[in-house]
Amino acid sequence: MNKFINENLLKMNTEEFLSNIKKAFNEVFSDGNIEKINLMNYLSENKWLNIKKCGLLLPFLSKKLGGRKESQFEIQEVLRIAGNYGVPVTLRTGIEGALVLQPLTEYGTPEQIEKGLELIFNGEGGGLAITEPETSGSAIAKEMQSYYEYIDENTIHVKADKYWQGNSQSDFLLIAAKERKDGNLSKVISLIFVPREYITYDVLNSEGLKAVRYAINHIDADIPSKYVMKLSESKANSLREFQNIFIRSRLQLVGMTHGVMEYIVKNIGKYARKEIPFVQKEISDIETVYGISQIMYDYTCNNVSPEKSVSDKLMEANIIKSLATEYTYDAAGKAQKLLGAKGFEAGHPVSNVAIDFRPFTIFEGPNDMLYAEIYDQFSKATPAEKSEGKKVSKGLTIYERIISDKRFSNVSISNSIFEENDLTNFLKKYTLNEINQTGKVFIGKILARIFLLIQTKPEKILKHIIKDIKKDILDFEYYS
């Protein structure tokens, strides 16, 4: 597998390796070259390939396959560094790393892996095709209609229409599909490694993120059966492995958002009229939110490992994804506002950040849906609790459940949740069985922010999170 990799990149220590990545980006996005690049359109493939050859995706590749040492920090850092050069740049990095390279090497056969690595490191890479024109959100696994059917031992027919696939015009796609037998769809999901020659596409004219080349992809072809990637033979394990792809992706996504936050902070400092008092206040808020982003970034670096399962971190992944995108999108909107008319000029460094970032709050599940899921995951026994024979009583107050939940206590460095105040009084007021479907969204938001609150020490950040929690409490009480 090492034939695709520059061996010198593997010998570097972390500091040297990350400096090399920064150098590669700086050469493409230097003051002399940046004028020739329009990220509202597309970064040319030869430039992207040059950056990849400098090691951009190596942290996502296991050491046994020729990648870097297993380091979550390096994964987060390359996503963060890419975010300093714009939203499309870090998203493309995340797509090829977290949604293509990691699933390919985890579930693929040696032949599939070798072919995929060659296309990733020497070509235009790949994409992951999940969503469909008629199905999205949490129902995608259940309602997915894409299928493959064995024609003979060596051939399958694949029929799939996939919607809003990033990197959709690349060298291959990993197509999520169910096996069809005797006209009936199995409930077991597999990935199909589909080379470009079997794929047609209709380009989508997206409002933003044009650099990621979104499209509707169509596959209706006979392809070799050797391209089937089995996640598992059983329905339960297949769905669990399918879900794990997104759990890991959501946990790692904060690398992208944190880099974009740095991009926003850097450009606001450069372009905003800082002598105006209200502008100073808004900049201060953005900088505080950057501090909140750092908490989430540190959580993933310290609690996630590329070689360990993340199946026990669904709630945490949904918290990271929803809050990281919510706070970053809010900061992007403020940054554009503070720049006035300049913030809407095509080609300005900040003009397209908000519109490019908006989909982050929607893909892999809209944030409001994820907040409701956070509540559901919070109110049920964790895998660890189930293994100990414990159940979660619906008669517990929200406060009592937080205190008993090790997902909170294991990361807590602050006593703010234990002090008698308006927040604890609210949490003690409601039991788990009193929360309706609408209420789950707002309680999920509150729980997500509490998860960050208990990991926070700086007073300024504590106050900001508490302010946001108070708004969520008002929303909950208004709509209840």
Side-chain angles (χ1 to χ4, degrees), residues 123-273:
E124 295 188 21
L128 178 65
I130 302 291
T131 53
E132 300 177 351
E134 302 301 325
T135 308
S136 62
S138 60
I140 181 63
K142 180 181 178 181
E143 298 180 7
M144 184 182 295
Q145 295 301 303
S146 299
Y147 70 85
Y148 65 99
E149 191 168 25
Y150 279 87
I151 296 174
D152 56 45
E153 187 177 309
N154 299 312
T155 311
I156 59 171
H157 183 81
V158 179
K159 178 72 170 68
D161 296 299
K162 295 298 185 177
Y163 189 49
W164 284 108
Q165 309 314 317
N167 217 18
S168 62
Q169 299 156 51
S170 52
D171 286 326
F172 70 93
L173 291 176
L174 299 181
I175 303 286
K178 299 174 179 177
E179 184 177 357
R180 189 170 80 165
K181 288 182 180 179
D182 302 322
N184 297 316
L185 285 184
S186 165
K187 294 180 180 179
V188 176
I189 296 173
S190 297
L191 295 178
I192 317 294
F193 183 102
V194 183
R196 177 156 53 187
E197 60 261 33
Y198 299 104
I199 304 170
T200 61
Y201 59 85
D202 300 316
V203 175
L204 287 165
N205 186 22
S206 59
E207 290 294 335
L209 287 176
K210 296 181 185 294
V212 187
R213 300 191 299 182
Y214 282 107
I216 301 176
N217 292 104
H218 310 285
I219 305 94
D220 190 357
D222 296 345
I223 72 172
S225 59
K226 66 182 180 179
Y227 288 138
V228 176
M229 298 168 59
K230 294 279 189 181
L231 302 182
S232 176
E233 294 295 338
S234 75
K235 173 192 171 186
N237 289 338
S238 166
L239 292 175
R240 189 177 299 115
E241 294 300 326
F242 183 67
Q243 186 181 55
N244 279 347
I245 295 172
F246 295 102
I247 295 175
R248 190 175 297 279
S249 172
R250 289 169 187 173
L251 287 164
Q252 293 176 164
L253 182 137
V254 70
M256 301 187 217
T257 60
H258 197 54
V260 174
M261 279 296 309
E262 290 180 344
Y263 181 83
I264 291 168
V265 170
K266 175 177 66 179
N267 281 289
I268 279 296
K270 188 184 296 185
Y271 296 108
R273 295 280 301 275

Side-chain angles (χ1 to χ4, degrees), residues 119 237 393:
L119 295 174
N237 289 338
S393 169

Side-chain angles (χ1 to χ4, degrees), residues 368-387:
D368 286 345
M369 182 186 82
L370 292 185
Y371 287 129
E373 289 184 4
I374 288 166
Y375 178 80
D376 286 336
Q377 292 139 17
F378 165 79
S379 60
K380 297 174 183 175
T382 65
E385 288 171 330
K386 288 178 181 177
S387 68

Side-chain angles (χ1 to χ4, degrees), residues 7 220 285 323 407 462:
E7 295 287 339
D220 190 357
D285 281 349
L323 285 186
R407 292 172 295 186
L462 283 169

Side-chain angles (χ1 to χ4, degrees), residues 176-445:
K178 299 174 179 177
E179 184 177 357
R180 189 170 80 165
K181 288 182 180 179
D182 302 322
N184 297 316
L185 285 184
S186 165
K187 294 180 180 179
V188 176
I189 296 173
S190 297
L191 295 178
I192 317 294
F193 183 102
V194 183
R196 177 156 53 187
E197 60 261 33
Y198 299 104
I199 304 170
T200 61
Y201 59 85
D202 300 316
V203 175
L204 287 165
N205 186 22
S206 59
E207 290 294 335
L209 287 176
K210 296 181 185 294
V212 187
R213 300 191 299 182
Y214 282 107
I216 301 176
N217 292 104
H218 310 285
I219 305 94
D220 190 357
D222 296 345
I223 72 172
S225 59
K226 66 182 180 179
Y227 288 138
V228 176
M229 298 168 59
K230 294 279 189 181
L231 302 182
S232 176
E233 294 295 338
S234 75
K235 173 192 171 186
N237 289 338
S238 166
L239 292 175
R240 189 177 299 115
E241 294 300 326
F242 183 67
Q243 186 181 55
N244 279 347
I245 295 172
F246 295 102
I247 295 175
R248 190 175 297 279
S249 172
R250 289 169 187 173
L251 287 164
Q252 293 176 164
L253 182 137
V254 70
M256 301 187 217
T257 60
H258 197 54
V260 174
M261 279 296 309
E262 290 180 344
Y263 181 83
I264 291 168
V265 170
K266 175 177 66 179
N267 281 289
I268 279 296
K270 188 184 296 185
Y271 296 108
R273 295 280 301 275
K274 294 184 285 292
E275 70 274 12
I276 302 171
F278 182 77
V279 173
Q280 293 173 9
K281 176 262 178 192
E282 294 283 82
I283 291 175
S284 177
D285 281 349
I286 290 173
E287 290 171 345
T288 301
V289 168
Y290 173 73
I292 296 173
S293 177
Q294 185 69 53
I295 295 168
M296 292 182 277
Y297 186 84
D298 291 343
Y299 173 83
T300 294
C301 287
N302 296 328
N303 293 277
V304 178
S305 175
E307 74 270 20
K308 291 182 181 178
S309 171
V310 292
S311 60
D312 61 338
K313 289 185 168 55
L314 178 56
M315 185 189 80
E316 296 92 321
N318 287 343
I319 288 172
I320 295 295
K321 190 272 179 183
S322 53
L323 285 186
T325 57
E326 176 188 312
Y327 280 123
T328 306
Y329 180 61
D330 182 62
K334 284 184 177 178
Q336 190 172 40
K337 175 186 70 176
L338 292 179
L339 294 177
K342 286 286 184 185
F344 291 89
E345 284 186 10
H348 191 282
V350 182
S351 63
N352 61 315
V353 175
I355 195 168
D356 274 352
F357 196 82
R358 173 66 174 141
F360 278 65
T361 68
I362 300 169
F363 64 51
E364 289 197 24
N367 283 357
D368 286 345
M369 182 186 82
L370 292 185
Y371 287 129
E373 289 184 4
I374 288 166
Y375 178 80
D376 286 336
Q377 292 139 17
F378 165 79
S379 60
K380 297 174 183 175
T382 65
E385 288 171 330
K386 288 178 181 177
S387 68
E388 297 171 1
K390 295 180 180 178
K391 295 182 179 180
V392 176
S393 169
K394 298 301 181 183
L396 288 176
T397 64
I398 298 171
Y399 179 83
E400 288 170 331
R401 176 56 184 148
I402 291 174
I403 299 303
S404 69
D405 192 336
K406 290 184 179 179
R407 292 172 295 186
F408 288 83
S409 60
N410 285 346
V411 298
S412 179
I413 62 170
S414 167
N415 293 323
S416 53
I417 194 66
F418 303 109
E419 298 169 357
E420 194 71 23
N421 52 43
D422 291 343
L423 172 57
T424 54
N425 290 338
F426 170 80
L427 297 173
K428 291 175 180 178
K429 183 178 177 181
Y430 295 96
T431 58
L432 299 179
N433 59 9
E434 292 181 288
I435 310 303
N436 61 25
Q437 290 299 317
T438 303
K440 286 180 180 182
V441 175
F442 300 110
I443 297 297
K445 283 187 180 185

Side-chain angles (χ1 to χ4, degrees), residues 50-119:
N50 287 338
I51 295 173
K52 288 198 291 185
K53 285 187 176 296
C54 290
L56 179 67
L57 301 178
L58 288 185
F60 296 94
L61 183 64
S62 69
K63 193 173 182 179
K64 67 182 180 181
L65 293 174
R68 295 277 297 171
K69 61 184 180 181
E70 279 74 17
S71 168
Q72 193 64 43
F73 176 72
E74 286 194 3
I75 289 174
Q76 300 310 122
E77 279 292 279
V78 295
L79 291 170
R80 181 191 64 80
I81 291 168
N84 275 262
Y85 299 91
V87 179
V89 181
T90 190
L91 181 56
R92 173 98 188 245
T93 305
I95 289 171
E96 289 205 53
L99 294 179
V100 178
L101 192 51
Q102 286 180 322
L104 171 69
T105 55
E106 183 168 357
Y107 304 112
T109 64
E111 183 179 355
Q112 291 164 354
I113 292 170
E114 183 164 8
K115 185 175 180 65
L117 292 186
E118 181 174 10
L119 295 174

